[in-house]
Amino acid sequence: MVVTGILLLDDSLQLHERIGMLIASLTDQAIFGIRPQEFGEGLIYMLWFVISATAIIWSTRYSERNHRIAMLPFVGCLIAFAFFAGILDVTQSLLWDYNSRLAKIIGLLEDAGEMIVISGASAMTLWLYLQSQTLGCWSGQRDSNSYL
């Protein structure tokens, strides 16, 4: 959930857009055929990807089997969030006409997808918490009933 929080913070504070504008103010030339603002946004998304991948790899390495299995839906949510917040955002910014019907549809899909993914991840977190309180199966117990 920390990774999702970082991505939500980035999206709400528009960090990737601000870094993109900073790079655009430093150069007027396209970088690798991409406008400077989109290049800056891509850099921030790559930074978040590295942080997310590091957190996921570290946590799977030091987790028990049942925790790794429980983490799979969250990894799926992270991938879906990356699609909606990253790929659709960059796709929309590459469109020259923000008032076009296509840009509005992509913007709608981006926002709705982000909300659905975060709602799903939050519901899974609540469900896991409630399971740990009623069954005790996520609390690190070592008996045979504590594993999936």
Side-chain angles (χ1 to χ4, degrees):
M1 289 307 289
V2 172
V3 172
T4 307
I6 289 171
L7 292 174
L8 283 175
L9 185 66
D10 169 63
D11 198 43
S12 64
L13 294 177
Q14 298 179 338
L15 294 177
H16 58 277
E17 284 96 350
R18 292 178 189 204
I19 297 297
M21 286 188 278
L22 175 67
I23 290 176
S25 70
L26 298 175
T27 180
D28 292 330
Q29 301 176 8
I31 303 169
F32 302 115
I34 303 172
R35 292 184 294 187
Q37 182 168 352
E38 281 76 32
F39 184 77
E41 291 179 13
L43 284 177
I44 293 299
Y45 284 130
M46 291 304 294
L47 173 67
W48 295 145
F49 174 76
V50 168
I51 291 171
S52 302
T54 302
I56 290 168
I57 291 169
W58 182 82
S59 62
T60 55
R61 182 178 171 101
Y62 296 105
S63 297
E64 295 178 4
R65 181 180 180 272
N66 60 337
H67 296 140
R68 286 192 297 269
I69 291 171
M71 192 170 40
L72 289 176
F74 292 103
V75 172
C77 284
L78 182 63
I79 292 169
F81 191 83
F83 172 75
F84 289 115
I87 294 173
L88 287 183
D89 184 43
V90 171
T91 302
Q92 184 184 23
S93 66
L94 289 174
L95 296 174
W96 288 100
D97 184 12
Y98 284 106
N99 294 322
S100 70
R101 183 173 292 176
L102 179 60
K104 289 179 182 179
I105 290 172
I106 291 174
L108 178 68
L109 288 174
E110 174 194 352
D111 292 337
E114 290 172 359
M115 288 183 224
I116 290 169
V117 168
I118 295 304
S119 297
S122 299
M124 285 188 292
T125 302
L126 178 62
W127 181 80
L128 283 174
Y129 173 75
L130 293 174
Q131 291 297 313
S132 73
Q133 296 302 307
T134 57
L135 301 176
C137 61
W138 301 105
S139 62
Q141 295 176 356
R142 293 289 187 172
D143 63 353
S144 61
N145 295 328
S146 66
Y147 294 98
L148 294 176

